[in-house]
Amino acid sequence: MAPLRGAVIGCGFFAQNHLHAWKDIADVEIVAVCDKDAAKAQAAAEKFGVPAWYDDAARMFGAVELDFVDIATTMPTHRALVELAAHHHVPTIVQKPFAPHWDDCVAMVAICKAAGIPLMVHENFRFQAPLDAVRKVLGEGLIGKPYYGRISFRTGYDIFAGQPYLMKEEQLVILDLGIHVLDMARVYLGEVETVYAQTQRVHPHIVAEDMVTLMLRHKNGATSVVEASYASRISPDPFPQTLVSIEGTRGSVQLLEGYRMRVTSDGETTEKNVSTPLLSWTSEPWHVAQESVLRTQQHWVACLREGRAPETSGEDNLRTYALVVAAYRSAAERRAVAPTR
Ligand code: NAD
Ligand code: 89V
């Protein structure tokens, strides 16, 4: 079978990981790249041996036969690009956050459904090896029925150096990072009944919140504390690790610094390292996050080939995005809020 013909739109900071990862998937050939900054598109084409580059997505869709498109631009552009892909009936994977506003997310899901194309959000925490290891422990029933969780991403790593646009966002840490952590709360403990959020802005030169503490009540009665911070001066700084602690009726599972996963089941405790080895294109401290890009893209390809819906479909991501919306409302109104979906 011929490899799937893909294109990448957006050749900026994080797309470099996408492009490396596509190279590692034998079943995919990236046949075009596009960036509105022509120099970036050309540089990506040269670096990754891509035969065609464009500085205009509409022109690219008109010129190239595609089996899918991978949109790795920042969120304000997602809706217009997804609409363009849907117009050309090209299956689409789009980076998180899905969009700046709820209505844009709903519109993208609807337009892809109407066009009959799959839409996946690149929610890569779902595919991150250490976070997946915790999920497997829960799935195997080793800790019994989970009733409490703490899922925490706190760092002082200078994310603004690589992503300076984040300094100007009007909604920052919940939408950019909390969205990943909230997604994992759903995965580990189920859908959410209410969200209570408190935000803080610590960094003096940014517009929006850089710290959030959330308390969730899940529909099955479990409680979780979800934390996201870009303003934590801690040592050692675990970036980009998510730390997890989940308690259940038979024991607990913890994801500790250094990618150590500790499981207590019926009184017996075991510990193992759940990190991933370095790939030719990954480096510390980002390597586990980078590797999750490869896993995310492998999932997308498997779903396309098998004709099944991706786990992090647009439809699924609406449920996570609804938690983000509820969190901002909760923080503004200082009360617990039920997500709308
Ligand atoms: P970036 O600004 O470095 O890159 C975006 C690129 O898209 C730029 O080169 C820009 O010129 C290009 N672009 C913008 N509009 C375009 C258009 N209409 N057509 C073609 N090109 C266009 O941004 P980034 O930091 O790489 O972030 C991109 C996305 O990746 C964001 O949504 C961000 O949240 C996400 N991200 C995800 C992770 C993760 O772990 N999942 C990590 C970092 C960033
Ligand atoms: O955009 C992101 O997902 C970043 C992270 C630091 C998690 O990569 O916030």
Side-chain angles (χ1 to χ4, degrees):
M1 212 184 313
L4 295 169
R5 293 165 57 85
V8 175
I9 305 180
C11 303
F13 170 71
F14 204 69
Q16 304 306 309
N17 298 315
H18 292 223
L19 287 158
H20 276 295
W22 289 127
K23 276 263 171 220
D24 280 2
I25 302 178
D27 196 18
V28 166
E29 185 190 354
I30 296 300
V31 295
V33 288
C34 173
D35 197 295
K36 67 177 185 186
D37 179 337
K40 284 192 189 173
Q42 185 174 7
E46 281 165 11
K47 180 171 173 191
F48 294 97
V50 178
W53 62 267
Y54 295 85
D55 60 7
D56 180 88
R59 264 201 311 118
M60 182 187 79
F61 279 110
V64 191
E65 236 358 88
L66 293 172
D67 294 314
F68 74 88
V69 65
D70 178 20
I71 299 172
T73 58
T74 46
M75 62 177 173
T77 60
H78 288 175
R79 181 171 173 179
L81 291 169
V82 168
E83 284 175 352
L84 198 54
H87 177 74
H88 289 270
H89 295 278
V90 176
T92 300
I93 175 166
V94 60
Q95 255 294 351
K96 54 58 67 178
F98 206 175
H101 305 289
W102 169 256
D103 289 352
D104 297 322
C105 304
V106 173
M108 284 186 275
V109 170
I111 195 162
C112 290
K113 197 171 175 190
I117 55 160
L119 172 65
M120 172 167 163
V121 176
H122 185 114
E123 179 38 84
N124 52 326
F125 277 38
R126 212 61 95 88
F127 303 95
Q128 200 187 99
L131 297 175
D132 198 42
V134 170
R135 186 181 187 175
K136 288 203 176 89
V137 168
L138 298 178
E140 285 162 8
L142 289 176
I143 74 159
K145 186 176 179 318
Y147 56 80
Y148 168 82
R150 178 168 175 268
I151 311 163
S152 176
F153 191 122
R154 306 186 71 88
T155 186
Y157 184 89
D158 183 11
I159 48 129
F160 304 111
Q163 298 169 273
Y165 58 89
L166 291 176
M167 298 187 87
K168 297 199 181 113
E169 296 292 351
E170 282 171 12
Q171 296 184 320
L172 177 58
V173 85
I174 302 176
L175 184 54
D176 186 62
L177 174 63
I179 201 164
H180 290 300
V181 194
L182 285 164
D183 191 69
M184 293 316 298
R186 277 183 60 217
V187 168
Y188 292 152
L189 293 155
E191 298 301 342
V192 174
E193 197 169 272
T194 54
V195 175
Y196 182 73
Q198 288 202 337
T199 57
Q200 288 156 271
R201 181 172 65 89
V202 179
H203 195 301
H205 304 303
I206 60 171
V207 174
E209 85 292 350
D210 52 4
M211 203 179 292
V212 64
T213 310
L214 296 130
M215 196 163 101
L216 309 184
R217 180 167 176 85
H218 295 261
K219 287 187 176 162
N220 57 13
T223 305
S224 64
V225 176
V226 167
E227 299 176 305
S229 166
Y230 281 147
S232 299
R233 308 282 164 247
I234 45 180
S235 184
D237 190 321
F239 180 87
Q241 285 186 72
T242 308
L243 305 183
V244 178
S245 179
I246 302 193
E247 298 174 16
T249 48
R250 285 179 57 196
S252 60
V253 53
Q254 289 167 282
L255 194 52
L256 305 164
E257 276 162 25
Y259 297 106
R260 289 170 297 128
M261 184 174 74
R262 186 179 298 157
V263 179
T264 299
S265 181
D266 297 331
E268 249 184 58
T269 299
T270 53
E271 193 170 301
K272 68 173 177 182
N273 188 298
V274 287
S275 180
T276 53
L278 286 177
L279 303 174
S280 62
W281 52 275
T282 66
S283 54
E284 299 214 29
W286 280 91
H287 67 296
V288 170
Q290 289 173 305
E291 206 248 8
S292 72
V293 171
L294 175 60
R295 289 172 190 258
T296 306
Q297 293 177 180
Q298 284 168 331
H299 177 74
W300 168 247
V301 171
C303 290
L304 273 187
R305 283 295 191 203
E306 292 158 27
R308 60 186 160 97
E311 192 184 310
T312 57
S313 64
E315 186 68 50
D316 177 84
N317 201 254
L318 287 181
R319 285 193 278 276
T320 297
Y321 201 98
L323 302 184
V324 169
V325 174
Y328 280 113
R329 238 179 83 207
S330 167
E333 296 174 9
R334 295 173 179 263
R335 63 181 183 89
V337 168
T340 50
R341 189 180 272 246

